[in-house]
Amino acid sequence: MSKYGFLLVKPEIHAREVKMPDGSTHTLHFKQISAADFRGYQLDEQSDDASVRTAAMQKLVAASLCEDDGKPALTATEYAQLTIEGLNALFPVVLEVGGFNRKADAAKKD
């Protein structure tokens, strides 16, 4: 293992209870997203192509949401059909598992 392993995406699968807008709760599994996945999301959000922009969040969710064995949970056809309610429930979990808010959370504890 690289001495810089602490900087690399961890292979662990994270189970999270996700509450859906209808009140149901589901145990879903997520992988940590890489900086490349997140940067791709940012670039997609700025694309001149409206279809690329509109699929950016769904594509990032699909990069993280997985089965408990790590295999992708959604096909491209499926993630393109996510409802706004589903996307709103999943996207914050993707960011949390990806470590997006860790620095802000650490600052709150100080």
Side-chain angles (χ1 to χ4, degrees):
M1 174 149 184
S2 167
K3 69 179 184 177
Y4 298 103
F6 62 95
L7 295 172
L8 306 177
V9 171
K10 308 296 183 267
E12 291 84 17
I13 304 302
H14 305 271
R16 293 290 189 271
E17 294 293 320
V18 180
K19 187 171 184 174
M20 303 308 291
D22 67 1
S24 64
T25 302
H26 301 271
T27 301
L28 301 174
H29 298 87
F30 298 85
K31 298 185 284 190
Q32 185 179 26
I33 54 174
S34 69
D37 288 330
F38 191 75
R39 185 69 179 129
Y41 157 73
Q42 291 176 313
L43 292 172
D44 285 353
E45 284 276 301
Q46 298 171 24
S47 174
D48 290 336
D49 184 334
S51 63
V52 172
R53 284 193 315 274
T54 58
M57 289 176 73
Q58 293 92 316
K59 187 176 168 185
L60 191 64
V61 166
S64 180
L65 184 65
C66 62
E67 300 295 342
D68 59 359
D69 63 0
K71 292 182 181 166
L74 300 173
T75 65
T77 300
E78 290 171 326
Y79 78 68
Q81 296 176 19
L82 278 172
T83 64
I84 191 65
E85 294 92 352
L87 185 61
N88 284 339
L90 297 172
F91 195 74
V93 181
V94 170
L95 295 179
E96 182 259 319
V97 168
F100 189 75
N101 292 324
R102 284 194 194 126
K103 190 172 186 177
D105 290 344
K108 288 179 190 175
K109 293 177 185 176
D110 290 339

